[in-house]
Amino acid sequence: MLAQIAQKASRSAGAKIYLREVERVIGALMASSEFWGVITLSCLPVNTVAEIIKELIAEGLVVQKDHSLELTPKGKGEAQVREISPLADGACKACAGRGLDLSAFNKLLNTFREMVQGRPKAIFEYDQGYVTPETTVARVALLAAKGDIKGKDLLIIGDDDLVSVAAALSRLPRRVAVLEIDPRLIRFIQALADSHHLEIEIYRQDVRKRLPAELCRQFDTFLTDPPETIDALELFLTRGLAALKGPCCAGYFGLTFAESSLSKWLALQQILAAKLKVAVTDIIHNFNEYVNWDYLLESVRKDLSFVQVNPLSNWYRSSMYRVETVEGSYWENLDREDLALYPD
Ligand SMILES: [Fe+2]
């Protein structure tokens, strides 16, 4: 039964969907009755989950009641036979699974949360969607724990998460610079820097254009959260690497399961290893939590009513990658205006 569902879902998805993935979706449905919650728990791409649930409904294993999804007695029976258990989040409640003690950063978090209240809304044009204030401050704490921020020069590439503001406010870095394309964010960051006497250098920059010479080989650490196509990931990372001083510097970026299949994870890891020649030192599961954004339902498929439901809570997460440069890491700085980075 579940193998047939995997087959049928593969046909409509146009890509192979595995039995194990169907089992994961059922396990997630045992813990969440919400489509978006099932994505978070199953750690599968949005469309894979949608196709599987569509087939589970067609086969009578799941029923859609208003906006929620429930396993039918038939679905529960199948779960029992296959010994599928509910997928729990399982994260440590004290640190939300980030593995960091944030107590030294509470004051920073309170101030930051207050400061960013009037922040610009996330817009589709630049594939924006910003993280919670807790996440932004946790990023500063992570960099601090890794020795990548105190007395160091930090570059943020695309900053709708306002990491530059939290970093400058922490007074830890020696230098904070931001590359940003959205004039609304540039104005907002500049206004906060002015009103709070923060030193933040802001450069209006399309990341497809090569890095300005004055930013090359200048930084100890970069942080970015690129759109999740291989082209965009590689491009943002090459910009970050071109900005770094040399070996023993660090780069941070997020990667999701919701938008990136494991094939894409592997393709990226191959680029990191073979082309960019950086070592992956950390991958912290679900480190980044994003605030739900207004344009979600416009940007996802409209043919399935269980997808066209507003999320009840923040569901979009990404893992935090930390990479470190070695002798021979990539640092070419070429114009790439041939690339299309954002959705059209
Ligand atoms: Fe913990």
Side-chain angles (χ1 to χ4, degrees), residues 151-170:
K152 299 286 194 291
D153 301 327
L154 172 66
L155 177 67
I156 313 295
I157 304 171
D159 199 18
D160 57 338
D161 299 323
L162 304 172
V163 178
S164 60
V165 174
L169 198 61
S170 75

Side-chain angles (χ1 to χ4, degrees), residues 155 157 179 207 211 215-224 233-253 268 271-280 322-326 328-334:
L155 177 67
I157 304 171
L179 297 187
V207 77
L211 211 59
L215 297 179
C216 290
R217 309 304 260 171
Q218 297 294 314
F219 294 87
D220 300 285
T221 306
F222 76 81
L223 188 148
T224 187
L233 285 159
E234 183 179 329
L235 182 68
F236 278 68
L237 294 176
T238 57
R239 295 297 178 238
L241 291 174
L244 295 181
K245 290 172 182 172
C248 305
C249 291
Y252 292 81
F253 64 95
L268 177 69
I271 289 168
L272 293 174
K275 181 170 180 186
L276 305 184
K277 296 193 171 61
V278 291
V280 177
R322 179 182 181 277
V323 296
E324 195 165 320
T325 48
V326 296
S329 288
Y330 185 95
W331 64 288
E332 281 187 59
N333 184 33
L334 309 167

